[in-house]
Amino acid sequence: MSSSADCVWNPNAIDKSCLPMSNYKKSKTSFCSRFYLPIIIAILLLIPSIILTVISITQYKHSSIILIANTSNTSTIEEAQNVSIKGLITMETAVQTNICDNDEKLEDCVLLYNAKIIMNILTLAPSRVSDSSLLSSDLPENIVQDTGHCKALQIRRSQLSQIFEPNTLEILYNLSGIKYTPTSSDRAEERSQIDARAVTNRWSSPISFYINVDSGLTPVMAANIRTAVSNWQSNTVLTFNEITAITPTLNKTYISFRRDDDYGCSSPVGYDPTDPTSVILVSAYCSGIIVSLMHEIGHTLGFIHTQSRIDRDTYITVVTANILPDYAANFFKWAYGTIRFLDVDTPYDYGSFMHYDGYGFTSNGAATIIPLDTRYDRTIGQREVAAFYDYKQINRLYFNRAVCPFMFASNGCQNNGYLDPKTCSRCVCPDGFSGTNCDQRDSASNCGDVITNLTPYSSAQVIIQNPTPTSTTPVSQYCVYHIKSLSTGKIRVQLNAISTIARAPCSVTSMFEVKYKSDMGLTGARWCGVTVPTVWLNITAENNTMVVIFRSNNYINATTRTAQARFVATIYFDPEPAPGVNQSILTTTASTVSTSTIKTTTMSSTISTMIPPQILTVTTSTTTLSTCPSASYRCQLATQPTCGGCLSYQPCTGQATQQCTAYSYQAQLTDCDKVINGIAQCRYQFILSPYITYCQHTIVLCCPNYQLVSYQNQYFCIYNTQAINPTDWSAII
């Protein structure tokens, strides 16, 4: 034997075995067989085994980034970002460390493990430092313990092409040691939070679900799961069916709820026909919060997180410097991952229960998400109710267009309401609205008002506040105020004082909310506590409608004799632009008006008040006219009555017919299973059948260039000096 050492142990090697030196040649004998001392051989062979065992146990319990990384398996993903990624695994290291589940495909395991690492790194680079103040939050996803992850991201291999850009995806495959085959499937880069795969891969109703009590789910947990499922069923077109036992040959496509206090609460995103059993892990942290369970069900139905939308940078700043590195993938922006429905806009909703709160997975107690509109700081992250668009998006994904073709368009529903998917006959309205067409103040409210400017062409102020309770017994206050102006941008609100429970996010049962965006379906900005930030001193409506909502369980404090909860706000109306008046200078020699002698000019005088509508009198040298000219002068439309407007400013109304959908009930015998006193006891079900008929509807019209406006249930016409198309102000309601 040579007196010099034949090999040395390299701690950076993948297999942790003894590596030969440069002059050592391969032979049929095992490594280090020429060492003199058998004890050295035993030690060198034992050390790697111990290291691998410790790492495997740690990886299994904590899902931490694996430490067995070959230095050659380190890569820069994108040159522009100059990001170096370490900790990736290959097929070989995955086998050695036993990191994958027994029922998991090895390639899938390696790709998804490495994908999460890459998502973590790309999310964190470059980092931005937050100057936001500390604010505690008690949401389940903010509970991070050594024993496991809460809200751990679960993705599928088929989603990788939706998440990563093609160049990054190819690098991921290459680093994982797996052949990359580009796909030709279209990838949508749009503004929804629905996983693009869900359009072609959707659950079929009824969706079976199984509550695995053998995993440790308690009766209370099981009851909460059923409530969460019921909420989805009651508010969407989906139906669910609980199965109490699993027969592998029969039950292959279903949602399985299983307790896991280490890795819950988490869910895979969307339905995968190649792996049709979707396992939702439920931990003790979130099992008591119904909407957190609905959040996880939302994932498996097809939702990604709101903060992962492609357009999120227009609405929020993700403060990567404050995020726990192992959880950064939850903030990764899906580059190609979502789709757009052409007939339904799905705007970014701060109030969605799929949105993280501002302190999710914080590493230092500072904010990880900051809304660009800071009035929404305490709106994001709520887990108490489903937002209007949460249900609307799932209904759009799963509804049958043939059954209800006008569910989302041409249905008469205002304020972005839509037809109930179960009946296709009534409007589902956003918060704060109700009525046949979602144009009324919510009838469920027990306080509030409809407020308009009584002098629209001059400024005005109105003070609003919640009623003072009269008892020490708590009573629910749900105040809804509809504030309306004639034109856009004329309404402002100032929050003067507030006293509610301070939380982040605000509790939906104790908060002040303002809807000032043009889309009334969106959740409004919410505030709570006892202080009023500067940004809440002047909020301007984007449109001509603003909605103010106040909720509290209010009572008189027995000691101080003051209200437990209150708010005071001032509504400011800016003056409307003064309308021009279209005046006809008439020359007549008789009591009738000749159309050949009419000349039209525009009068520059203004009207200080027009409410209630006034009949204007025009004086010429020969004639005083206080009504519109004859019917022959006024505009005529083929199938509509003569329009109103002109000098009287009064609209014209008439009746006409149009096609509409009506419904009839048909009784269908289902069974007769009993006979009592010789009489069969039968049951029937009533089927609602739609049919097309003709319905009466009211027509309200103004003359060309006149705008139809309403005030206190009255309609009148105002001349529009800016109108280009003479038919702009013709209206049918």
Side-chain angles (χ1 to χ4, degrees), residues 181-242:
T181 304
T183 60
S184 59
S185 60
D186 294 333
R187 291 188 294 263
E189 186 174 348
E190 296 293 353
R191 297 182 298 276
S192 173
Q193 64 191 70
I194 295 290
D195 173 24
R197 295 166 55 258
V199 177
T200 53
N201 298 323
R202 288 177 290 183
W203 293 91
S204 298
S205 288
I207 301 174
S208 296
F209 69 97
Y210 172 64
I211 299 177
N212 188 345
V213 294
D214 292 337
S215 66
L217 292 172
T218 67
V220 173
M221 292 177 176
N224 289 342
I225 291 171
R226 293 186 183 98
T227 300
V229 170
S230 177
N231 287 348
W232 274 114
Q233 178 165 286
S234 298
N235 294 279
T236 67
V237 72
L238 294 172
T239 58
F240 294 82
N241 173 51
E242 182 176 358

Side-chain angles (χ1 to χ4, degrees), residues 234-236 395 404 406-408 411-414 417-430 433-438 661 663 688:
S234 298
N235 294 279
T236 67
N395 277 320
C404 190
F406 300 109
M407 182 174 177
F408 299 105
N411 52 23
C413 303
Q414 299 184 31
Y418 61 96
L419 292 181
D420 183 351
K422 296 185 181 301
T423 65
C424 199
S425 62
R426 69 175 186 90
C427 291
V428 177
C429 303
F433 293 89
S434 65
T436 303
N437 298 318
C438 298
T661 302
Y663 297 87
L688 191 65

Side-chain angles (χ1 to χ4, degrees), residues 10-240:
N10 182 356
N12 292 322
I14 295 177
D15 58 7
K16 292 292 189 287
S17 63
C18 189
L19 298 182
M21 297 190 60
S22 60
N23 61 349
Y24 180 73
K25 303 206 184 269
K26 292 182 179 179
S27 66
K28 295 181 179 180
T29 60
S30 61
F31 290 134
C32 302
S33 61
R34 299 179 183 180
F35 270 46
Y36 293 105
L37 299 177
I39 189 170
I40 295 178
I41 297 175
I43 292 175
L44 292 177
L45 293 176
L46 185 60
I47 288 176
S49 300
I50 296 174
I51 293 175
L52 290 176
T53 301
V54 172
I55 291 175
S56 297
I57 295 173
T58 303
Q59 178 67 23
Y60 177 77
K61 289 187 175 181
H62 302 289
S63 189
S64 58
I65 294 180
I66 191 168
L67 302 178
I68 315 173
N70 188 353
T71 53
S72 64
N73 195 25
T74 301
S75 175
T76 298
I77 293 296
E78 294 184 25
E79 183 178 353
Q81 290 184 306
N82 193 26
V83 175
S84 181
I85 295 184
K86 298 181 180 180
L88 302 176
I89 62 174
T90 63
M91 303 279 283
E92 182 181 1
T93 55
V95 172
Q96 292 176 355
T97 57
N98 195 29
I99 195 173
C100 302
D101 295 335
N102 294 332
D103 58 349
E104 189 174 14
K105 294 181 180 179
L106 185 61
E107 281 194 0
D108 293 354
C109 169
V110 171
L111 281 173
L112 296 178
Y113 188 93
N114 289 341
K116 182 176 179 181
I117 294 176
I118 291 176
M119 292 168 72
N120 284 337
I121 297 299
L122 293 183
T123 300
L124 295 174
S127 293
R128 284 169 286 183
V129 179
S130 167
D131 58 358
S132 178
S133 59
L134 301 183
L135 191 63
S136 62
S137 180
D138 55 0
L139 293 180
E141 52 262 47
N142 294 326
I143 300 175
V144 179
Q145 298 184 352
D146 292 338
T147 55
H149 291 186
C150 212
K151 296 277 184 218
L153 182 68
Q154 292 193 43
I155 56 177
R156 304 179 189 270
R157 180 176 179 176
S158 59
Q159 288 170 317
L160 295 178
S161 61
Q162 306 289 337
I163 299 174
F164 294 108
E165 296 176 342
N167 291 340
T168 305
L169 183 63
E170 183 174 3
I171 292 174
L172 166 63
Y173 271 76
N174 292 338
L175 293 178
S176 302
I178 300 172
K179 182 181 178 181
Y180 173 67
T181 304
T183 60
S184 59
S185 60
D186 294 333
R187 291 188 294 263
E189 186 174 348
E190 296 293 353
R191 297 182 298 276
S192 173
Q193 64 191 70
I194 295 290
D195 173 24
R197 295 166 55 258
V199 177
T200 53
N201 298 323
R202 288 177 290 183
W203 293 91
S204 298
S205 288
I207 301 174
S208 296
F209 69 97
Y210 172 64
I211 299 177
N212 188 345
V213 294
D214 292 337
S215 66
L217 292 172
T218 67
V220 173
M221 292 177 176
N224 289 342
I225 291 171
R226 293 186 183 98
T227 300
V229 170
S230 177
N231 287 348
W232 274 114
Q233 178 165 286
S234 298
N235 294 279
T236 67
V237 72
L238 294 172
T239 58
F240 294 82

